[in-house]
Amino acid sequence: MRKIWFLPLSVVILFSNGLFAQGGKHTDKFEQLDYELADPNEYRAASGSPGHKYWQNQADYKISIELNDADQSIKGSETITYTNNSPDVLNYLWLQLDQNMRGKESHTYSTATSSIKHETHAYFLNKMLDPDFDGGFKIGKVTDEKGKDLPYTINQTMMSVDMPKDLNPGESFTFKVEWSYNINDRMAIGGRSGYEYFEEDDNYLYTIAQFYPRMCVYSDYGGWQNKQFLGSGEFTLPFGSFDVSITVPSDHVVAATGKLSNTDEVLTKEQIKRFKKAEKSDEPVIIVSQSEAEKAEKSRATDTKTWIFKADSVRDFAFASSRKFIWDAMGVDLNGRTVMAMSYYPKEGNPLWEEYSTRVVAHTLKTYSKYTFDYPYHKAISVHAAQIGMEYPMICFNFGRPDKDGTVPDRVKYGMIMVVIHEVGHNFFPMIVNSDERQWTWMDEGLDSFLQYLTEVEWAANNPKEKDYPFRGGPPKNIVPYMSMDKELISPIMTNSEQVQNLGPNAYSKPATALNILRETVMGKELFDKAFKEYSQRWMFKHPTPSDFFRTMEDASGVDLDWFWRGWFYGVDHVDISLSQIRKFQMSTDEAPKDAPEAPAAVTPEDDFNKFYVSGISDAQKARVEEKPYFYELTLENIGGLVMPVILEFTYKDGSKEIKRIPAEIWRKNAEKVVKVFPTDKEVASIKLDPFEETADTDVTNNAWPSKELPSKFELYKEKGNSAGGDE
């Protein structure tokens, strides 16, 4: 006998919506993200907040290093105290040896791809040649705190250390590492850290980071962080305290993470006096002048000074050192607490840096604090370093060098302002809201780029000379060229940083644009700002994941955003909504004829209205129709695949305009095509879709009724690029 199966209605709906299509993939654009997000637990709540048993481990460092200016090398020793706050027993520890990416046998070199063109730049030639720089850590020894050798294993950019016994929950283990390495020439072989040589005065400027073996993160969501450093993926690190002694030539000036604890030993009385003045000033005060720096450039000290810096609740440490440094500073009032904004730069950075750097640092601290939390550290430093922008707690390295004659082209000025805002902003993400950069680059780069845009908007608004500020990441229309690329060339935002194909637009611009659209168009500023601040404050000095961000934004706003995260962060579709058909009607009170003709598929504003007939209409309904007698039936098609709100501008024949905003949920039952009728009290002359260019729609040629012959935004972009000769 044949069996007949009766399926529950909910299962029938799942099949009909295609949720079990394509081998079990979840394809519905409005399906909840339950399958993609990590399950909530006692460590991470379903609300997106830290769970009631949230934990994180701690690493405290006491470091002594010596920078050798004669051969550009570093020698150091450190004592690390690692505290296991996890519920797990640890039988070994893992450290990051990031400098090993410059070792001759590094996977960074062996896995790099290259090709030959008829004319090849020297930079790309270097990628083809075998490395000749003797880079990477030279580990001297690893011992316990009593000096007894500990077994260790180096695996490329990681090192495991075996402890004499297992480290139980709540216990700490202290051990020592000695090392050295050669500092790389950034200008020749690149790098986030290294030196720049100034041939004219025979001096070096050092921007030093990743200079010590650093503890890996052990987390509730991934155990030990074990992704090798290949060059793109940045760093995830545990919080702790630092006590760092930096020995340099005595004529050097040092900028670093942390509070300088031996001021009287390394600064002159005049410098200390100037600094105290700067603390109370709302304009930059010169601590080391250009004339003093130029005089120091001519010296060659044979003795040394040791600068001692201490910091608590930081995840990393970096410093800069040179006899070329000019130094200025000013106080920033954050709700009654003074934070020092400071800049260090060689004469080659002036006049640009003296005019802008510290002022931009101060503006960044104020603006980011407004949208997140008050900046908790006592200072923020911007250091001038050619060709890089890189961030560390309390200090960052930024490009922006005028021409040799002191001329400052606009592109240099604005590039410098942008990079200072961006890198100082990284103090908030990920230096305080400590996401895993190696795994989810967008969680620091994308969030920071979004806040950078808001900060640039306020900078331009507060500075009358900046009315032509060239905003890049943030405005939706600027992401159109990337979103218009073939899908094979685009990676989802959630892609790991070492695997993404176009890191800049993928990890910086697209998430920044997405968040701007979320704020301006989907949620509204008030709801978004409330939820974003909640996320920022929940995860200060903690390790959030994407699930925590997505859930908090929904939890604090009361808005279901799973469709948005799914489309913008997990997918590669683009926005292209077409206003594909308009039909216009007026209601007839007559009885419908049996042979009534079909309404034409499309009309112009000047065409006659079609008639439609309503049976059983009430007097109240007739009165309402008399108030708005014109009916416009719009057919919208989602060509690009990315569902978005629909924004329509109706222009009436009397010249007046009206904006109609429809949430993205209009697509929830059919994500490809919807039809909606709009009654009006006036005749419509034209209708425009996305009139303010706020959804990143890639094709404007299908956005208007009556249709207009217009180039698409992508075509305009290509024309602009060709006419500019590719200068940007």
Side-chain angles (χ1 to χ4, degrees):
M1 180 177 178
R2 183 180 179 186
K3 292 184 178 180
I4 300 176
W5 296 93
F6 293 92
L7 297 176
L9 179 59
S10 60
V11 176
V12 173
I13 292 173
L14 288 176
F15 274 106
S16 66
N17 283 346
L19 299 190
F20 292 107
Q22 301 181 25
K25 292 182 181 178
H26 304 280
T27 58
D28 189 294
K29 296 182 187 298
F30 284 89
E31 182 190 9
Q32 295 295 285
L33 277 177
D34 296 345
Y35 295 96
E36 285 80 4
L37 301 185
D39 291 335
N41 51 50
E42 58 191 359
Y43 309 127
R44 297 171 189 272
S47 64
S49 64
H52 66 281
K53 289 188 177 181
Y54 175 83
W55 57 267
Q56 60 191 34
N57 291 348
Q58 181 171 328
D60 299 313
Y61 299 84
K62 185 174 178 59
I63 305 174
S64 294
I65 69 162
E66 182 176 347
L67 187 155
N68 191 323
D69 192 39
D71 65 5
Q72 292 72 58
S73 65
I74 278 180
K75 179 174 67 174
S77 64
E78 65 184 347
T79 299
I80 304 175
T81 299
Y82 187 75
T83 302
N84 180 17
N85 295 317
S86 81
D88 307 325
V89 176
L90 304 179
N91 50 10
Y92 43 76
L93 305 177
W94 278 103
L95 289 82
Q96 299 185 45
L97 302 180
D98 308 291
Q99 289 293 332
N100 283 5
M101 70 158 285
R102 302 207 173 277
K104 292 183 178 180
E105 303 302 320
S106 167
H107 287 175
T108 301
Y109 298 123
S110 62
T111 61
T113 58
S114 55
S115 61
I116 297 176
K117 296 181 179 179
H118 180 67
E119 186 175 351
T120 298
H121 190 276
Y123 172 81
F124 297 102
L125 178 62
N126 275 341
K127 297 183 72 173
M128 303 176 208
L129 298 172
D130 292 333
D132 60 356
F133 174 65
D134 183 17
F137 282 115
K138 276 71 174 174
I139 300 297
K141 57 182 178 179
V142 181
T143 66
D144 64 16
E145 58 184 330
K146 294 181 180 180
K148 184 177 179 180
D149 288 346
L150 294 174
Y152 63 91
T153 302
I154 295 176
N155 174 19
Q156 288 289 312
T157 60
M158 299 183 66
M159 177 174 74
S160 66
V161 175
D162 294 333
M163 297 174 287
K165 63 173 185 173
D166 291 345
L167 188 62
N168 294 313
E171 293 182 344
S172 298
F173 178 69
T174 299
F175 64 106
K176 299 180 179 181
V177 184
E178 294 182 5
W179 77 92
S180 64
Y181 74 90
N182 296 317
I183 304 171
N184 54 296
D185 180 348
R186 284 195 308 99
M187 309 305 289
I189 62 174
R192 291 172 170 83
S193 172
Y195 70 79
E196 178 183 1
Y197 176 62
F198 292 80
E199 186 175 5
E200 291 181 3
D201 51 55
D202 188 28
N203 274 297
Y204 294 85
L205 191 158
Y206 299 92
T207 47
I208 304 298
Q210 293 87 251
F211 64 90
Y212 61 101
R214 309 185 294 176
M215 291 301 307
C216 294
V217 166
Y218 183 81
S219 68
D220 63 278
Y221 61 82
W224 285 111
Q225 192 290 123
N226 54 16
K227 290 187 178 296
Q228 294 283 349
F229 178 46
L230 298 176
S232 293
E234 291 181 352
F235 316 105
T236 178
L237 301 159
F239 285 107
S241 63
F242 285 79
D243 183 341
V244 183
S245 299
I246 306 169
T247 300
V248 298
S250 62
D251 51 3
H252 273 218
V253 173
V254 176
T257 301
K259 207 169 256 189
L260 181 62
S261 64
N262 63 333
T263 304
D264 293 340
E265 297 175 16
V266 295
L267 299 183
T268 67
K269 290 182 179 180
E270 182 61 29
Q271 289 168 347
I272 294 171
K273 180 181 176 181
R274 294 169 181 171
F275 188 84
K276 288 181 178 178
K277 180 182 177 182
E279 289 179 317
K280 299 177 181 179
S281 175
D282 58 2
E283 290 289 328
V285 173
I286 300 294
I287 312 300
V288 176
S289 69
Q290 180 162 332
S291 61
E292 290 169 329
E294 289 176 351
K295 181 179 178 181
E297 285 177 346
K298 299 178 176 64
S299 66
R300 288 294 180 275
T302 55
D303 58 339
T304 62
K305 281 184 181 178
T306 298
W307 299 58
I308 302 173
F309 296 90
K310 296 181 180 180
D312 293 318
S313 299
V314 293
R315 48 165 262 173
D316 200 3
F317 191 100
F319 71 95
S321 182
S322 180
R323 60 178 58 89
K324 293 177 63 66
F325 276 145
I326 304 163
W327 174 16
D328 68 47
M330 64 180 280
V332 182
D333 182 3
L334 292 179
N335 288 324
R337 185 173 59 88
T338 298
V339 174
M340 296 305 295
M342 300 195 283
S343 297
Y344 296 73
Y345 45 96
K347 65 179 186 295
E348 287 78 6
N350 268 341
L352 178 64
W353 275 67
E354 186 173 320
E355 181 177 358
Y356 283 102
S357 179
T358 296
R359 290 180 174 89
V360 176
V361 173
H363 173 72
T364 303
L365 294 176
K366 290 178 181 178
T367 309
Y368 274 64
S369 294
K370 180 175 71 175
Y371 288 112
T372 58
F373 44 77
D374 283 353
Y375 181 72
Y377 298 133
H378 74 286
K379 69 181 181 184
I381 297 171
S382 170
V383 177
H384 175 55
Q387 300 181 10
I388 62 167
M390 192 58 202
E391 73 281 358
Y392 300 93
M394 306 184 212
I395 187 170
C396 54
F397 312 143
N398 302 312
F399 59 76
R401 183 164 294 175
D403 295 342
K404 286 193 174 184
D405 63 1
T407 303
V408 182
D410 280 350
R411 62 176 179 80
V412 173
K413 168 191 163 182
Y414 288 119
M416 178 262 199
I417 292 172
M418 290 175 182
V419 75
V420 171
I421 292 173
H422 185 87
E423 305 306 342
V424 172
H426 269 309
N427 276 286
F428 294 79
F429 304 93
M431 299 303 156
I432 295 169
V433 181
N434 191 13
S435 56
D436 185 342
E437 300 171 87
R438 190 73 47 91
Q439 179 65 37
W440 303 296
T441 307
W442 70 268
M443 288 193 73
D444 69 294
E445 299 296 358
L447 269 61
D448 185 32
S449 296
F450 163 67
L451 285 170
Q452 174 191 339
Y453 172 63
L454 297 185
T455 304
E456 289 172 350
V457 168
E458 294 200 17
W459 172 266
N462 296 337
N463 292 275
K465 294 187 295 184
E466 307 291 9
K467 57 183 175 61
D468 296 322
Y469 192 97
F471 301 107
R472 294 177 185 172
K477 64 181 180 181
N478 292 357
I479 199 64
V480 164
Y482 176 66
M483 301 283 278
S484 301
M485 293 171 65
D486 292 338
K487 288 186 178 181
E488 292 76 15
L489 302 176
I490 301 177
S491 305
I493 289 175
M494 294 293 288
T495 304
N496 176 273
S497 57
E498 297 289 1
Q499 298 159 230
V500 67
Q501 298 189 71
N502 290 280
L503 184 64
N506 178 277
Y508 295 70
S509 305
K510 185 179 176 183
T513 303
L515 294 174
N516 189 36
I517 291 173
L518 189 60
R519 181 176 187 260
E520 298 278 348
T521 302
V522 177
M523 297 175 69
K525 294 178 182 179
E526 184 177 352
L527 271 181
F528 179 95
D529 290 351
K530 177 178 181 291
F532 193 82
K533 181 171 282 192
E534 180 69 22
Y535 166 74
S536 304
Q537 295 182 357
R538 278 181 178 181
W539 290 96
M540 287 178 69
F541 300 110
K542 295 181 176 67
H543 302 284
T545 68
S547 300
D548 302 317
F549 177 69
F550 297 152
R551 285 172 169 149
T552 294
M553 291 300 293
E554 297 187 20
D555 176 70
S557 68
V559 181
D560 182 353
L561 297 168
D562 283 22
W563 64 270
F564 188 86
W565 312 129
R566 181 180 295 284
W568 277 92
F569 287 78
Y570 288 88
V572 294
D573 288 340
H574 61 276
V575 181
D576 181 10
I577 300 174
S578 168
L579 189 57
S580 60
Q581 179 176 285
I582 307 290
R583 301 198 302 169
K584 44 191 282 193
F585 294 88
Q586 281 187 296
M587 187 186 76
S588 173
T589 56
D590 299 333
E591 185 176 339
K594 294 181 179 179
D595 57 348
E598 287 291 327
V603 296
T604 71
E606 306 310 321
D607 287 333
D608 292 335
F609 284 86
N610 298 291
K611 297 295 184 183
F612 74 100
Y613 305 87
V614 180
S615 59
I617 188 171
S618 68
D619 290 340
Q621 287 175 312
K622 286 181 181 179
R624 292 184 65 191
V625 170
E626 288 173 0
E627 292 176 1
K628 292 187 175 183
Y630 308 108
F631 291 78
Y632 293 84
E633 179 196 89
L634 277 61
T635 299
L636 299 163
E637 292 187 69
N638 183 5
I639 298 170
L642 187 53
V643 294
M644 287 293 286
V646 174
I647 303 101
L648 296 164
E649 180 184 68
F650 282 64
T651 299
Y652 298 102
K653 289 189 174 180
D654 65 2
S656 61
K657 295 178 184 288
E658 183 181 7
I659 300 296
K660 298 180 184 291
R661 293 181 174 272
I662 306 166
E665 282 76 9
I666 190 174
W667 304 100
R668 68 189 183 278
K669 293 183 179 179
N670 187 335
E672 297 178 357
K673 182 178 180 179
V674 294
V675 180
K676 186 172 177 64
V677 175
F678 294 86
T680 68
D681 60 351
K682 293 176 283 191
E683 288 192 52
V684 175
S686 63
I687 301 173
K688 189 175 183 180
L689 181 65
D690 193 23
F692 309 115
E693 299 184 315
E694 57 186 289
T695 67
D697 195 316
T698 60
D699 185 1
V700 297
T701 63
N702 54 23
N703 284 17
W705 176 76
S707 61
K708 299 178 181 179
E709 290 295 326
L710 293 171
S712 71
K713 295 176 188 174
F714 187 43
E715 289 169 336
L716 287 171
Y717 176 85
K718 287 194 294 184
E719 287 180 15
K720 179 182 177 183
N722 290 335
S723 64
D727 185 54
E728 293 296 313

